Amino acid sequence: MNNETTIVLNELAKEIMAKKELPTKYLESHGNANGFERLMKEVIIEEFNQSIQELIPNRKIKLIPRFGHHFPDLDLHIDNEMYGIELKSRNNGSWITLGGSVIESISQDNYEEIYLLFASFNKKKGDTSYKVRYKPYWQAADAIKVTHSPRFDLNLDSSQSVFNSNEDYRSLRNMKIEDKLNFIRHTLAQNATTATWYTNPEKTVPPTIFSTLSKSQKDKLKAEILLLYPRDLLRQPRANYDRITNYLLSQYFIVNTSTRDMFTAGGTIDIKGVKFPKIVDRYRKNQKAILQLLETTDESFINMAYDLWGYTQKQRTTIKSDFFHVIDLCGTKYLSENLRQISVAKLSALLF
């Protein structure tokens, strides 16, 4: 990072952090609503382009938005050189997030370097302004993770990186698709703790057994499935595990010898003298993890959830309220008498 780009990025970060008591529209972070991007579009870019010319009058410096299906989000022109800036934000005070798809998000444009500009605030603490940090994108990419597609894990606090240098990252951006895929497979194979489907496409690789995962990995998957498949799990008198088994296999190449026992071992639970299926207890015990997942800004995960719930684009409101609505529909369909006996109107009120 040269001294000039440092000065420019410092000024950009300073202008963003100077905005105090931000309206709610600039702090939103759910579904397609991205308050940080909106703040940049409506306020910061124009102000920055004016102030930077006063700060460095002898250079041609301009920030140009490239929002939409383009990576990175902004072009920073300094005379005849072009730098990229990718915007990310979190509303929980964290400096960790998932980047876009490794394959789809790698720009072919001739950037000298691409930077990650990360804005974070803590919604629960009542923050109304952003803290901002930045880092070369290649340095922030500390891992590749496979959820619904291979994606960079971005961590501003990490001292490690998938890449050794900006030149390595630039090389990846210029690779053909097959070479990019080979890079992803090689990187995943180096960092995989157990054999997984993507590490060696030319050999037969056995799936990971669910029981061999760590407790934290198991808990993460359970919360994910409880969020994605309430219609299958709350179905009475017998849950349907077919889609869940397929999900574990297709998304993570994990097999479970008994998906049923993963959620419903023990049969029933007693609540105020009324018997409920054990899955109700599973939802209650995983409440915190599910609520955290409902704050995700991962669009691919959000879209997958809505598809599995059977929602159209027009029916969507917020992922949390729509999830609760699905839970309540299941409660009305399968557990209305149980809920009536304990004087609870909605299943979501019992679970969350």
Side-chain angles (χ1 to χ4, degrees), residues 242-295:
D242 292 344
R243 295 201 302 172
I244 296 168
T245 299
N246 289 336
Y247 176 78
L248 287 171
L249 191 61
S250 63
Q251 297 297 330
Y252 298 102
F253 205 51
I254 288 172
V255 294
N256 193 357
T257 54
S258 180
T259 308
R260 177 182 178 276
D261 289 344
M262 183 178 175
F263 295 101
T264 60
T268 62
I269 180 177
D270 187 280
I271 300 176
K272 296 180 180 180
V274 177
K275 287 187 177 181
F276 281 80
K278 191 72 172 182
I279 189 61
V280 167
D281 188 47
R282 290 290 181 265
Y283 271 99
R284 297 174 84 181
K285 287 182 176 178
N286 288 274
Q287 176 195 105
K288 183 177 179 180
I290 294 170
L291 292 175
Q292 287 177 340
L293 267 179
L294 288 170
E295 294 181 0

Side-chain angles (χ1 to χ4, degrees), residues 338-349:
N338 308 63
L339 292 169
R340 186 194 65 78
Q341 290 182 46
I342 62 170
S343 302
V344 174
K346 295 180 177 181
L347 181 58
S348 61

Side-chain angles (χ1 to χ4, degrees), residues 279-346:
I279 189 61
V280 167
D281 188 47
R282 290 290 181 265
Y283 271 99
R284 297 174 84 181
K285 287 182 176 178
N286 288 274
Q287 176 195 105
K288 183 177 179 180
I290 294 170
L291 292 175
Q292 287 177 340
L293 267 179
L294 288 170
E295 294 181 0
T296 183
T297 56
D298 181 346
E299 289 188 16
S300 65
F301 184 80
I302 291 169
N303 290 332
M304 175 181 285
Y306 276 114
D307 287 343
L308 292 170
W309 298 340
Y311 269 69
T312 65
Q313 186 72 37
K314 290 183 178 180
Q315 290 174 316
R316 299 184 184 188
T317 56
T318 68
I319 187 169
K320 183 176 180 179
S321 61
D322 291 338
F323 171 67
F324 280 13
H325 181 63
V326 174
I327 291 287
D328 291 334
L329 288 175
C330 293
T332 299
K333 186 172 183 178
Y334 300 118
L335 300 169
S336 58
E337 179 59 24
N338 308 63
L339 292 169
R340 186 194 65 78
Q341 290 182 46
I342 62 170
S343 302
V344 174
K346 295 180 177 181

Side-chain angles (χ1 to χ4, degrees), residues 74-348:
L74 307 172
D75 289 350
L76 173 63
H77 291 267
I78 301 178
D79 289 338
N80 296 322
E81 295 181 342
M82 182 169 70
Y83 300 86
I85 299 176
E86 176 70 357
L87 304 176
K88 289 293 179 183
S89 61
R90 294 301 301 270
N91 64 5
N92 62 355
S94 170
W95 297 103
I96 302 172
T97 192
L98 280 175
S101 167
V102 173
I103 298 171
E104 295 174 2
S105 68
I106 297 171
S107 172
Q108 297 293 336
D109 289 330
N110 191 28
Y111 294 101
E112 299 292 330
E113 187 150 31
I114 294 174
Y115 294 92
L116 173 67
L117 186 73
F118 203 138
S120 185
F121 77 102
N122 195 314
K123 183 178 180 180
K124 290 183 178 179
K125 290 184 178 179
D127 292 348
T128 58
S129 62
Y130 287 107
K131 294 179 181 177
V132 179
R133 294 167 62 184
Y134 63 86
K135 200 173 191 178
Y137 197 89
W138 70 268
Q139 288 185 9
D142 74 331
I144 292 176
K145 292 187 176 179
V146 176
T147 52
H148 318 298
S149 64
R151 306 174 73 182
F152 286 122
D153 184 61
L154 304 174
N155 185 350
L156 287 190
D157 290 322
S158 177
S159 59
Q160 63 183 26
S161 173
V162 170
F163 305 98
N164 293 317
S165 65
N166 183 44
E167 285 68 32
D168 283 353
Y169 180 47
R170 188 197 298 264
S171 175
L172 177 64
R173 299 207 314 267
N174 293 326
M175 285 180 187
K176 295 179 180 178
I177 290 294
E178 185 55 38
D179 291 330
K180 290 175 183 175
L181 291 172
N182 286 333
F183 169 83
I184 293 166
R185 291 167 185 145
H186 176 71
T187 302
L188 290 167
Q190 283 186 317
N191 293 282
T193 54
T194 57
T196 43
W197 65 269
Y198 43 75
T199 58
N200 194 334
E202 296 178 357
K203 295 181 180 179
T204 301
V205 179
T208 300
I209 307 300
F210 181 81
S211 61
T212 66
L213 300 176
S214 67
K215 183 180 183 301
S216 63
Q217 289 172 314
K218 289 177 182 177
D219 290 345
K220 174 186 177 295
L221 285 173
K222 285 178 183 178
E224 209 169 279
I225 290 168
L226 287 164
L227 188 153
L228 293 172
Y229 295 97
R231 293 184 184 275
D232 304 66
L233 291 168
L234 291 166
R235 183 174 174 266
Q236 298 298 315
R238 185 182 296 275
N240 187 332
Y241 301 103
D242 292 344
R243 295 201 302 172
I244 296 168
T245 299
N246 289 336
Y247 176 78
L248 287 171
L249 191 61
S250 63
Q251 297 297 330
Y252 298 102
F253 205 51
I254 288 172
V255 294
N256 193 357
T257 54
S258 180
T259 308
R260 177 182 178 276
D261 289 344
M262 183 178 175
F263 295 101
T264 60
T268 62
I269 180 177
D270 187 280
I271 300 176
K272 296 180 180 180
V274 177
K275 287 187 177 181
F276 281 80
K278 191 72 172 182
I279 189 61
V280 167
D281 188 47
R282 290 290 181 265
Y283 271 99
R284 297 174 84 181
K285 287 182 176 178
N286 288 274
Q287 176 195 105
K288 183 177 179 180
I290 294 170
L291 292 175
Q292 287 177 340
L293 267 179
L294 288 170
E295 294 181 0
T296 183
T297 56
D298 181 346
E299 289 188 16
S300 65
F301 184 80
I302 291 169
N303 290 332
M304 175 181 285
Y306 276 114
D307 287 343
L308 292 170
W309 298 340
Y311 269 69
T312 65
Q313 186 72 37
K314 290 183 178 180
Q315 290 174 316
R316 299 184 184 188
T317 56
T318 68
I319 187 169
K320 183 176 180 179
S321 61
D322 291 338
F323 171 67
F324 280 13
H325 181 63
V326 174
I327 291 287
D328 291 334
L329 288 175
C330 293
T332 299
K333 186 172 183 178
Y334 300 118
L335 300 169
S336 58
E337 179 59 24
N338 308 63
L339 292 169
R340 186 194 65 78
Q341 290 182 46
I342 62 170
S343 302
V344 174
K346 295 180 177 181
L347 181 58
S348 61

